[in-house]
Amino acid sequence: QVQLVESGGGLVQAGNSLRLSCAASGRSFSDYAMGWFRRAPGKEREFVAGIEWTGDNTGYPPSVKGRFTISRDNAKNMVYLQMNDLKPEDTAVYYCAAKPGPFEIVWSAYHVWGQGTQVTVAS
């Protein structure tokens, strides 16, 4: 079983950047696809990025494509989310999640979650 801990959130001005990190512990991290999700107050949990265990295949929704980049370092058991040109609507708690097999955009497909990290974008 993998355990996940996110870090890197904070308060930033619109147009700036943040990089979130997700540290994984436990065995077989490289066997898992990883996803980043977010939940804003009063909204459903939203998929923002996914990456296969090889790192070769990634996916993003239209709302963040071209601004966010997911990457992973299997040697370090780390997953990252680089967020550029942040907007106030990106304000949310961000979670990383893990699942075996390919990444998916549906949050219920993931069975391992971190505790989340708050990102606040001021206008």
Side-chain angles (χ1 to χ4, degrees), residues 34-38 46-51 58-61 64 68-71 79-81 95-97 103-105 110:
M34 301 297 295
W36 283 97
F37 291 78
R38 66 187 180 188
E46 176 188 18
F47 170 78
V48 294
I51 189 167
T58 58
Y60 309 89
V64 307
F68 289 13
T69 302
I70 188 172
S71 61
V79 179
Y80 306 99
L81 184 68
Y95 302 88
C96 68
F103 76 82
E104 297 186 38
I105 67 172
Y110 294 77

Side-chain angles (χ1 to χ4, degrees), residues 39-62:
R39 176 178 278 171
K43 294 188 177 181
E44 296 292 319
R45 201 173 322 194
E46 176 188 18
F47 170 78
V48 294
I51 189 167
E52 301 290 356
W53 71 272
T54 61
D56 292 339
N57 188 29
T58 58
Y60 309 89

Side-chain angles (χ1 to χ4, degrees), residues 1-5 21-36 51-55 70-80 96-101 111-112:
Q1 182 77 343
V2 172
Q3 294 83 43
L4 305 173
V5 178
S21 299
C22 175
S25 60
R27 299 186 298 178
S28 304
F29 168 73
S30 61
D31 292 342
Y32 288 80
M34 301 297 295
W36 283 97
I51 189 167
E52 301 290 356
W53 71 272
T54 61
I70 188 172
S71 61
R72 68 188 295 162
D73 185 338
N74 287 342
K76 296 181 178 179
N77 283 9
M78 295 293 295
V79 179
Y80 306 99
C96 68
K99 66 176 297 292
H111 65 280
V112 182

